[in-house]
Amino acid sequence: MADLPSETTEIINQLKQQSLNIVNKALALELTIFELFGEIDATIAALDEMKSAAENAESSYSQLSTIQLQIAQAQPVASNDMLQLLERAIARTQARIPALERSIEEVKMEYNLP
């Protein structure tokens, strides 16, 4: 099994947890808006935005998990290409999370929700 440095594993686990939190928050907000206001012209953009945020976070989670598993299965060490792929996935997720969280907060503010 190829081992990653503990710092890298910690970063991956934190990013995966943040991604899960975004999926939860975005879908909960989507449901709240739907239940309070319904699916009308005025809410469609927000509902779509929350669904998209959840899908993006899910994609990040899945990508990190898949690469992490592939590296764990590599013998005796992970290839440089795999490690570079992981670095890009980490960087992309780190850049994506703040934007997704901001989207959720903006929709909450738009609908005056806590």
Short mmCIF file of all heavy atoms in Angstrom, two decimals, residues 39-65:
data_model
loop_
_atom_site.label_atom_id
_atom_site.label_comp_id
_atom_site.label_asym_id
_atom_site.label_seq_id
_atom_site.Cartn_x
_atom_site.Cartn_y
_atom_site.Cartn_z
N GLU A 39 -42.04 25.81 -5.96
CA GLU A 39 -41.22 25.91 -7.17
C GLU A 39 -41.94 26.86 -8.13
O GLU A 39 -42.79 26.45 -8.92
CB GLU A 39 -41.02 24.54 -7.82
CG GLU A 39 -40.06 24.57 -8.98
CD GLU A 39 -39.73 23.20 -9.51
OE1 GLU A 39 -40.16 22.19 -8.92
OE2 GLU A 39 -39.07 23.13 -10.56
N ILE A 40 -41.59 28.12 -8.00
CA ILE A 40 -42.19 29.16 -8.83
C ILE A 40 -41.06 29.86 -9.58
O ILE A 40 -39.88 29.65 -9.29
CB ILE A 40 -43.00 30.17 -7.99
CG1 ILE A 40 -42.12 30.81 -6.91
CG2 ILE A 40 -44.21 29.48 -7.34
CD1 ILE A 40 -42.78 31.90 -6.12
N ASP A 41 -41.43 30.72 -10.52
CA ASP A 41 -40.41 31.41 -11.30
C ASP A 41 -39.38 32.12 -10.42
O ASP A 41 -38.20 32.12 -10.73
CB ASP A 41 -41.06 32.43 -12.25
CG ASP A 41 -41.80 31.76 -13.40
OD1 ASP A 41 -41.51 30.58 -13.69
OD2 ASP A 41 -42.65 32.43 -14.02
N ALA A 42 -39.85 32.69 -9.33
CA ALA A 42 -38.96 33.45 -8.45
C ALA A 42 -37.97 32.57 -7.69
O ALA A 42 -36.93 33.06 -7.24
CB ALA A 42 -39.79 34.27 -7.47
N THR A 43 -38.25 31.30 -7.51
CA THR A 43 -37.37 30.43 -6.71
C THR A 43 -36.54 29.46 -7.55
O THR A 43 -35.61 28.84 -7.03
CB THR A 43 -38.18 29.60 -5.70
OG1 THR A 43 -39.10 28.76 -6.41
CG2 THR A 43 -38.91 30.49 -4.71
N ILE A 44 -36.87 29.32 -8.82
CA ILE A 44 -36.20 28.31 -9.64
C ILE A 44 -34.69 28.51 -9.67
O ILE A 44 -33.92 27.55 -9.54
CB ILE A 44 -36.81 28.25 -11.05
CG1 ILE A 44 -38.21 27.63 -10.96
CG2 ILE A 44 -35.93 27.46 -12.01
CD1 ILE A 44 -38.97 27.59 -12.25
N ALA A 45 -34.24 29.76 -9.82
CA ALA A 45 -32.80 30.00 -9.88
C ALA A 45 -32.11 29.57 -8.58
O ALA A 45 -31.05 28.94 -8.62
CB ALA A 45 -32.52 31.47 -10.16
N ALA A 46 -32.71 29.89 -7.43
CA ALA A 46 -32.11 29.52 -6.15
C ALA A 46 -32.13 28.01 -5.96
O ALA A 46 -31.14 27.43 -5.48
CB ALA A 46 -32.86 30.21 -5.01
N LEU A 47 -33.22 27.37 -6.33
CA LEU A 47 -33.31 25.92 -6.20
C LEU A 47 -32.25 25.25 -7.08
O LEU A 47 -31.56 24.31 -6.63
CB LEU A 47 -34.70 25.42 -6.58
CG LEU A 47 -35.85 25.87 -5.67
CD1 LEU A 47 -37.19 25.48 -6.29
CD2 LEU A 47 -35.70 25.28 -4.28
N ASP A 48 -32.09 25.74 -8.30
CA ASP A 48 -31.08 25.19 -9.20
C ASP A 48 -29.67 25.44 -8.69
O ASP A 48 -28.80 24.58 -8.79
CB ASP A 48 -31.23 25.78 -10.60
CG ASP A 48 -32.45 25.28 -11.35
OD1 ASP A 48 -33.04 24.26 -10.91
OD2 ASP A 48 -32.81 25.90 -12.37
N GLU A 49 -29.46 26.62 -8.12
CA GLU A 49 -28.14 26.95 -7.59
C GLU A 49 -27.76 26.03 -6.44
O GLU A 49 -26.62 25.59 -6.32
CB GLU A 49 -28.11 28.41 -7.14
CG GLU A 49 -26.74 28.89 -6.73
CD GLU A 49 -26.70 30.37 -6.43
OE1 GLU A 49 -27.68 31.08 -6.69
OE2 GLU A 49 -25.66 30.81 -5.91
N MET A 50 -28.72 25.72 -5.57
CA MET A 50 -28.44 24.83 -4.45
C MET A 50 -28.20 23.41 -4.92
O MET A 50 -27.32 22.72 -4.42
CB MET A 50 -29.56 24.90 -3.41
CG MET A 50 -29.62 26.21 -2.65
SD MET A 50 -28.07 26.67 -1.81
CE MET A 50 -27.24 27.68 -3.05
N LYS A 51 -28.97 22.98 -5.90
CA LYS A 51 -28.76 21.64 -6.45
C LYS A 51 -27.37 21.55 -7.09
O LYS A 51 -26.63 20.59 -6.90
CB LYS A 51 -29.83 21.30 -7.48
CG LYS A 51 -29.74 19.87 -7.99
CD LYS A 51 -30.89 19.51 -8.89
CE LYS A 51 -32.20 19.46 -8.19
NZ LYS A 51 -32.34 18.54 -7.08
N SER A 52 -26.98 22.60 -7.80
CA SER A 52 -25.66 22.64 -8.44
C SER A 52 -24.54 22.67 -7.40
O SER A 52 -23.52 21.99 -7.56
CB SER A 52 -25.57 23.87 -9.34
OG SER A 52 -24.30 23.97 -9.93
N ALA A 53 -24.72 23.44 -6.33
CA ALA A 53 -23.71 23.49 -5.27
C ALA A 53 -23.52 22.11 -4.65
O ALA A 53 -22.39 21.67 -4.42
CB ALA A 53 -24.12 24.51 -4.20
N ALA A 54 -24.62 21.42 -4.38
CA ALA A 54 -24.55 20.08 -3.81
C ALA A 54 -23.84 19.12 -4.77
O ALA A 54 -22.99 18.32 -4.36
CB ALA A 54 -25.94 19.57 -3.47
N GLU A 55 -24.17 19.21 -6.06
CA GLU A 55 -23.54 18.32 -7.04
C GLU A 55 -22.05 18.59 -7.16
O GLU A 55 -21.25 17.66 -7.29
CB GLU A 55 -24.23 18.48 -8.40
CG GLU A 55 -25.62 17.89 -8.44
CD GLU A 55 -26.40 18.23 -9.70
OE1 GLU A 55 -25.90 19.04 -10.52
OE2 GLU A 55 -27.51 17.68 -9.86
N ASN A 56 -21.66 19.87 -7.13
CA ASN A 56 -20.24 20.21 -7.20
C ASN A 56 -19.48 19.69 -5.98
O ASN A 56 -18.38 19.16 -6.10
CB ASN A 56 -20.05 21.72 -7.32
CG ASN A 56 -20.27 22.22 -8.72
OD1 ASN A 56 -19.82 21.61 -9.67
ND2 ASN A 56 -20.95 23.33 -8.86
N ALA A 57 -20.06 19.85 -4.81
CA ALA A 57 -19.43 19.36 -3.59
C ALA A 57 -19.34 17.83 -3.60
O ALA A 57 -18.34 17.25 -3.19
CB ALA A 57 -20.18 19.85 -2.36
N GLU A 58 -20.40 17.20 -4.08
CA GLU A 58 -20.40 15.74 -4.18
C GLU A 58 -19.31 15.26 -5.13
O GLU A 58 -18.61 14.28 -4.86
CB GLU A 58 -21.77 15.26 -4.66
CG GLU A 58 -21.89 13.77 -4.79
CD GLU A 58 -23.24 13.33 -5.32
OE1 GLU A 58 -24.22 14.10 -5.24
OE2 GLU A 58 -23.31 12.20 -5.83
N SER A 59 -19.15 15.96 -6.23
CA SER A 59 -18.12 15.62 -7.20
C SER A 59 -16.72 15.74 -6.58
O SER A 59 -15.86 14.87 -6.78
CB SER A 59 -18.23 16.54 -8.42
OG SER A 59 -17.18 16.32 -9.32
N SER A 60 -16.49 16.81 -5.82
CA SER A 60 -15.20 16.98 -5.15
C SER A 60 -14.94 15.85 -4.16
O SER A 60 -13.85 15.28 -4.12
CB SER A 60 -15.16 18.32 -4.42
OG SER A 60 -15.16 19.39 -5.34
N TYR A 61 -15.95 15.53 -3.37
CA TYR A 61 -15.83 14.45 -2.39
C TYR A 61 -15.49 13.13 -3.10
O TYR A 61 -14.57 12.42 -2.70
CB TYR A 61 -17.13 14.30 -1.61
CG TYR A 61 -17.09 13.19 -0.59
CD1 TYR A 61 -16.70 13.45 0.71
CD2 TYR A 61 -17.41 11.88 -0.93
CE1 TYR A 61 -16.64 12.44 1.66
CE2 TYR A 61 -17.34 10.86 0.00
CZ TYR A 61 -16.96 11.14 1.29
OH TYR A 61 -16.88 10.13 2.20
N SER A 62 -16.22 12.84 -4.14
CA SER A 62 -16.04 11.59 -4.86
C SER A 62 -14.64 11.52 -5.49
O SER A 62 -13.97 10.48 -5.43
CB SER A 62 -17.12 11.46 -5.93
OG SER A 62 -16.95 10.28 -6.67
N GLN A 63 -14.22 12.62 -6.10
CA GLN A 63 -12.91 12.63 -6.75
C GLN A 63 -11.79 12.41 -5.73
O GLN A 63 -10.89 11.60 -5.96
CB GLN A 63 -12.70 13.95 -7.48
CG GLN A 63 -11.41 14.00 -8.26
CD GLN A 63 -11.23 15.31 -8.99
OE1 GLN A 63 -11.55 16.37 -8.47
NE2 GLN A 63 -10.72 15.24 -10.20
N LEU A 64 -11.85 13.12 -4.62
CA LEU A 64 -10.82 12.95 -3.59
C LEU A 64 -10.82 11.52 -3.04
O LEU A 64 -9.75 10.92 -2.84
CB LEU A 64 -11.03 13.95 -2.46
CG LEU A 64 -10.70 15.40 -2.78
CD1 LEU A 64 -11.18 16.31 -1.65
CD2 LEU A 64 -9.21 15.59 -3.03
N SER A 65 -12.00 10.97 -2.81
CA SER A 65 -12.10 9.61 -2.27
C SER A 65 -11.54 8.59 -3.25
O SER A 65 -10.81 7.67 -2.86
CB SER A 65 -13.55 9.27 -1.95
OG SER A 65 -14.02 10.07 -0.91
#
